[in-house]
């Protein structure tokens, strides 16, 4: 096999990593490490193709969205089928070939209306919020009333179900008390710990154990 | 194969594009939350779990969502969790690191019952998540990012756990390939001293002890030895473990200076023995269900390590 002399060194590095990954057995540390490095290098290579925007008349936010969807599908496919890498070709050629295919898949799905598991009549994508946008979210009204109901339930404590057990030596440290403090008073474990004079690790473990006990109950309750 | 050492980056990371699938799932989980604060936390936790799940699938691990609490509605309401279970390995926590933050925050709720913690950093646009590092244990709520280990450490650790010999399966008569009946590898002269008392299973009833043997080749020297592991269940949780090394074939003595070591979870040698003019080496210890250890056989600068899970 003769390698062209003027080959870009980045291609050679990527090809080498792909060969290395494919050369180690599937569950080995060595294959995983080579795959991890391969993916990072591909993303940083500046060699990823972009399906021509003019062929896909889409608002740019949607184009980017579909592109990211296609890119993740491509990377996953390469990792899982690394044995199928054709050593006579450049990894980036393979990668960009798959990327175009996966982009068309994503685009077709979008055209048909709805992406992922949401079959919708209106072909609208969920607009990805930015980090700052997260602060603009408000819980739906029904959640607020559900929260109130749950709070009331725990306060009313039917049959003392949330108050029977407590952290050893501190009868105040019940699930009722801890859930109220954590969820509706937004208090820190450290604070509660110094108020009740119980190590926060004991409080935390107790709370978790109790929660698992009540899980089926809450599950049903929250199903509404 | 010529081993050309390619340049290893100082620290291995992994970047995950966050497309529709990730954001839709995060939004779905957020829509059930009671407050803005909870909603934001759950949104970021979900993206972090999504990113780690994507990474693990690329790396050829099987994840197990049904055993991960972060997907559970009731738990999401009451606890700040972002866990993800990996089959044959254990449960890991995927903590979001906010853009420009220098600290990994780990709530006390998740300090227990985790094999490790991933730090997943987001860009401001939430279009990318970067797995920037990993720690095995957490004892404080805030960990400076500079103290994280590289993903390389995770891959090594998780691969070892996944590929480790699961000793509790031996009790059910399930053995990985390479672990054979003692007689298949060791012949009477080597075993003569052992007499007839230790033949693995009692003919009827429960096994009193189980032993299996594996052929180990010390790569460069080409020397071969047999590693014998013997289990004696003592209580529900405690297991007596015997480790022995024998020469193979018609050799009588072990290679001079051969070392046998038992390593703890962190890879530190806790027991050690060395061959002089020796016919075999033995080490005995005990361990509890869930504990990990490794056996290292070394000769000069070559060695073989086998990982075990009790």
């Amino acid at each position: 096999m003769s390698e062209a002399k003027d080959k870009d060194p980045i291609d050679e590095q990527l090809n080498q990593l792909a060969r290395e990954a494919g050369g180690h057995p599937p569950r080995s540390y060595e294959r995983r490490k080579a795959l991890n490095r391969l993916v990072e290098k591909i993303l940083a290579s500046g060699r990823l193709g972009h399906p021509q925007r003019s062929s896909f008349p889409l608002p740019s936010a949607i184009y980017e969205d579909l592109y990211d969807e296609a890119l993740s599908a491509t990377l996953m496919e390469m990792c899982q089928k690394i044995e199928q890498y054709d050593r006579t070709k450049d990894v980036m050629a393979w990668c960009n070939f798959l990327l175009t295919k996966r982009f068309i898949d994503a685009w077709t799905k979008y055209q048909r209306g709805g992406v992922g598991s949401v079959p919708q009549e209106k072909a609208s994508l969920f607009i990805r919020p930015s980090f700052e946008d997260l602060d603009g979210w408000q819980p739906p009204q029904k959640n607020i009333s559900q929260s109130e109901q749950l709070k009331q339930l725990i306060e009313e404590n039917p049959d003392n179900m949330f108050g029977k057990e407590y952290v050893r030596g501190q009868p105040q440290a019940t699930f009722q008390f801890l859930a109220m403090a954590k969820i509706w008073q937004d208090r820190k474990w450290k604070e509660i710990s110094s108020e009740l004079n119980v190590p926060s690790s004991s409080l935390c473990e107790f709370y978790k154990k109790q929660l698992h006990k009540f899980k089926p109950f809450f599950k049903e309750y929250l199903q509404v | 194969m010529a081993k050309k050492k390619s340049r290893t980056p100082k620290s291995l990371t992994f970047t995950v594009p966050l497309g529709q699938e990730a954001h839709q799932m995060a939004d779905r989980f957020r829509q059930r939350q009671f407050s803005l604060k909870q909603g934001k936390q759950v949104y970021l936790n979900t993206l972090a779990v999504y990113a780690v799940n994507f990474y693990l699938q690329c790396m050829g691990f099987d994840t197990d969502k049904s055993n991960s609490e972060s997907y559970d509605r009731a738990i999401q309401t009451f606890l700040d969790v972002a866990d993800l279970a990996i089959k044959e390995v254990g449960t890991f926590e995927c903590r979001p690191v906010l853009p420009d933050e220098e600290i990994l925050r780990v709530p006390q709720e998740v300090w227990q019952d985790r094999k490790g913690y991933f730090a997943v950093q987001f860009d401001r646009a939430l279009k990318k998540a970067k797995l920037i590092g990993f720690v095995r244990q957490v004892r404080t709520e805030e960990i400076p990012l500079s103290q994280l280990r590289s993903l390389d450490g995770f891959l090594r650790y998780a691969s070892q756990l996944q590929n480790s010999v699961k000793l509790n399966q031996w009790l059910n008569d399930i053995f990985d390939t390479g672990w054979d009946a003692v007689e298949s590898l060791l012949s009477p002269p080597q075993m003569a001293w052992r007499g007839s008392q230790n033949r693995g299973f009692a003919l009827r009833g429960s096994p009193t002890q189980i032993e299996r043997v594996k052929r180990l080749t010390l790569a460069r020297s080409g020397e071969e030895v047999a590693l014998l592991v013997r289990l004696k269940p003592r209580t529900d949780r405690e297991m007596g473990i015997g480790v022995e090394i024998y020469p193979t074939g018609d050799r009588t003595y072990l290679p001079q200076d051969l070392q046998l070591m038992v390593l703890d979870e962190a890879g530190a040698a806790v027991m050690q023995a060395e061959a002089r003019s020796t016919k075999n080496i033995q080490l005995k210890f005990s361990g509890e269900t869930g504990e990990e250890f490794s056996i290292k056989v070394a000769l000069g600068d070559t060695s073989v390590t086998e990982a075990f899970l009790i």
Side-chain angles (χ1 to χ4, degrees):
Chain A
M1 189 172 69
S2 69
E3 297 279 356
K5 263 197 181 148
D6 52 356
K7 194 179 265 301
D8 190 319
I10 184 80
D11 277 318
E12 200 28 67
Q13 287 170 24
L14 290 168
N15 296 348
Q16 164 66 26
L17 279 172
R19 282 195 298 266
E20 197 180 315
H24 291 291
R27 287 149 58 107
S28 64
Y29 156 70
E30 289 79 9
R31 168 180 291 202
R32 287 167 170 158
K33 186 178 174 186
L35 284 177
N36 190 333
R37 293 179 59 208
L38 177 66
V39 169
E40 280 306 85
K41 249 198 159 77
I42 288 175
L43 290 175
S45 68
R47 305 288 291 278
L48 283 166
H50 282 78
Q52 257 201 334
R53 279 178 191 249
S54 55
S55 321
F56 302 94
L58 293 166
S60 100
I62 293 177
Y63 177 94
E64 279 174 35
D65 213 320
L66 297 181
Y67 183 81
D68 281 346
E69 203 70 40
L71 179 58
S72 35
T74 300
L75 296 173
M76 175 87 77
E77 196 171 347
M78 291 178 75
C79 287
Q80 293 180 343
K81 297 180 176 168
I82 194 71
E83 284 99 346
Q84 291 173 21
Y85 164 58
D86 176 354
R87 292 169 179 231
T88 62
K89 301 206 174 83
D90 281 336
V91 177
M92 279 322 290
W94 184 39
C95 178
N96 283 322
F97 167 76
L98 288 175
L99 183 56
T100 306
K101 270 178 46 171
R102 297 299 152 245
F103 186 84
I104 293 170
D105 290 350
W107 181 70
T108 315
K109 205 151 84 180
Y110 169 74
Q111 290 291 96
R112 270 201 247 111
V115 163
S117 53
V118 211
Q120 279 293 352
E121 57 280 3
K122 43 185 188 221
S124 64
L125 284 188
F126 172 69
I127 302 301
R128 293 182 284 180
S130 72
F131 180 64
E132 274 74 23
D133 293 340
L134 292 183
D135 287 323
W137 180 78
Q138 284 303 324
Q141 193 53 46
K142 73 166 175 37
N143 299 25
I144 298 174
S145 44
Q146 201 176 43
S147 165
E148 278 308 311
Q149 281 169 23
L150 187 62
K151 184 182 168 197
Q152 237 175 45
L153 175 82
I154 292 177
E155 270 173 342
E156 279 169 11
N157 191 18
D159 302 327
N160 195 24
M161 71 181 291
F162 305 120
K164 268 187 213 115
E165 292 170 61
Y166 50 86
V167 178
R168 191 141 57 130
Q170 177 46 286
Q172 250 191 295
T174 59
F175 180 77
Q176 182 192 31
F177 182 93
L178 296 174
M180 291 306 294
K182 283 305 289 179
I183 310 300
W184 288 281
Q185 294 155 18
D186 195 20
R187 297 177 65 191
K188 303 234 171 299
W189 287 116
K190 267 191 206 139
E191 261 178 69
I192 310 171
S193 157
S194 55
E195 183 191 323
L196 298 179
N197 208 10
V198 176
S200 52
S201 55
S202 316
L203 291 177
C204 220
E205 286 313 298
F206 171 79
Y207 179 71
K208 282 192 325 197
K209 271 208 193 93
Q210 290 274 296
L211 181 56
H212 284 108
K213 194 175 116 185
F214 297 130
K215 198 167 92 172
F217 176 80
F218 287 132
K219 240 190 174 123
E220 206 162 310
Y221 189 82
L222 290 166
Q223 214 59 216
V224 192
Chain B
M1 193 167 66
K3 265 224 169 139
K4 210 168 81 188
K5 249 291 197 304
S6 32
R7 229 157 34 97
T8 310
K10 258 220 312 275
S11 136
L12 197 61
T13 58
F14 191 92
T15 307
V16 181
L18 299 172
Q20 281 290 309
E21 197 192 343
H23 278 275
Q24 280 184 348
M25 183 162 73
D27 188 54
R28 204 164 62 237
F29 287 169
R30 174 173 66 170
Q31 292 304 338
R32 313 157 166 176
Q33 301 308 313
F34 292 165
S35 65
L36 166 63
K37 191 184 168 200
Q38 264 190 350
K40 190 173 173 179
Q41 189 67 59
V42 165
Y43 201 98
L44 294 171
N45 284 358
T46 309
L47 290 182
V49 173
Y50 172 90
V52 173
N53 187 46
F54 180 88
Y55 172 63
L56 292 170
Q57 286 186 295
C58 285
M59 294 296 108
F61 289 100
D62 290 325
T63 54
D64 185 1
K65 291 184 181 176
S66 61
N67 276 317
S68 308
E69 298 197 318
S70 55
Y71 292 88
D72 187 299
R73 160 115 212 233
I75 300 284
Q76 278 173 3
T77 304
F78 287 95
L79 287 175
D80 178 7
V81 288
D83 65 330
L84 184 60
I86 312 177
K87 284 180 187 163
E88 303 172 275
V89 179
T91 297
F92 288 76
E93 184 73 17
C94 323
R95 296 311 306 181
V97 176
L98 306 186
D100 310 323
E101 258 207 334
E102 292 297 318
I103 283 170
L104 168 67
R105 293 177 201 281
V106 184
Q108 191 162 4
E109 285 103 299
V110 298
W111 289 4
Q112 306 279 325
D113 309 319
R114 297 287 186 271
K115 289 277 179 198
Y117 301 78
F118 287 101
V120 183
Q121 188 150 46
F122 298 106
D123 65 345
R124 293 212 158 264
L126 297 182
K127 286 182 176 167
K128 267 190 233 130
K130 190 172 182 185
L131 278 64
I132 49 175
F134 160 79
V135 277
R136 294 248 313 243
Q137 279 187 333
V138 165
R139 288 198 192 82
T140 162
E141 281 189 339
E142 299 190 344
I143 300 155
L145 298 184
S146 57
Q147 288 179 13
L148 297 180
R149 292 171 64 186
S150 142
L151 289 184
D152 181 62
F154 164 76
L155 290 176
R156 191 186 291 273
Y157 171 55
S159 302
Q160 193 183 61
L161 278 177
Q162 187 186 33
N163 298 322
S164 66
V165 178
K166 316 283 191 294
L167 290 176
N168 61 353
Q169 295 191 344
W170 287 19
L171 303 179
N172 302 322
D173 228 359
I174 300 168
F175 305 97
D176 292 319
T177 45
W179 289 94
D180 299 316
V182 172
E183 296 75 12
S184 69
L185 194 54
L186 298 177
S187 45
Q190 290 147 327
M191 307 299 289
W193 66 274
R194 305 172 71 229
S196 58
Q197 82 277 26
N198 297 330
R199 273 286 164 245
F201 290 90
L203 273 177
R204 280 193 185 78
S206 59
T208 50
Q209 68 173 28
I210 302 167
E211 47 185 25
R212 286 266 145 169
V213 71
K214 185 178 182 176
R215 193 189 297 268
L216 298 182
T217 309
L218 289 147
R220 196 137 15 119
S221 62
E223 291 275 3
E224 203 181 84
V225 292
L227 169 64
L228 183 149
V229 173
R230 177 181 308 124
L231 301 183
K232 276 190 194 175
R234 287 188 188 148
T235 63
D236 267 0
R237 297 186 52 81
E238 203 193 347
M239 188 107 81
I241 298 165
V243 177
E244 302 171 14
I245 293 281
Y246 292 92
T248 52
D250 44 17
R251 267 175 299 188
T252 315
Y253 294 99
L254 286 169
Q256 188 80 6
D257 299 330
L258 183 90
Q259 284 187 312
L260 171 64
M261 276 169 270
V262 177
L263 314 177
D264 67 8
E265 247 183 79
V270 286
M271 294 177 94
Q272 196 162 345
E274 201 170 313
R276 297 289 166 211
S277 294
T278 317
K279 290 180 179 170
N280 65 72
I281 318 179
Q282 305 183 44
L283 293 173
K284 277 183 187 168
F285 53 98
S286 65
E288 290 199 349
T289 311
E291 282 181 342
E292 303 151 31
F293 68 94
S294 304
I295 294 171
K296 184 173 176 180
V297 179
L299 184 62
D301 55 1
T302 58
S303 68
V304 185
T305 305
E306 283 281 335
F308 296 85
L309 180 68
I310 302 175

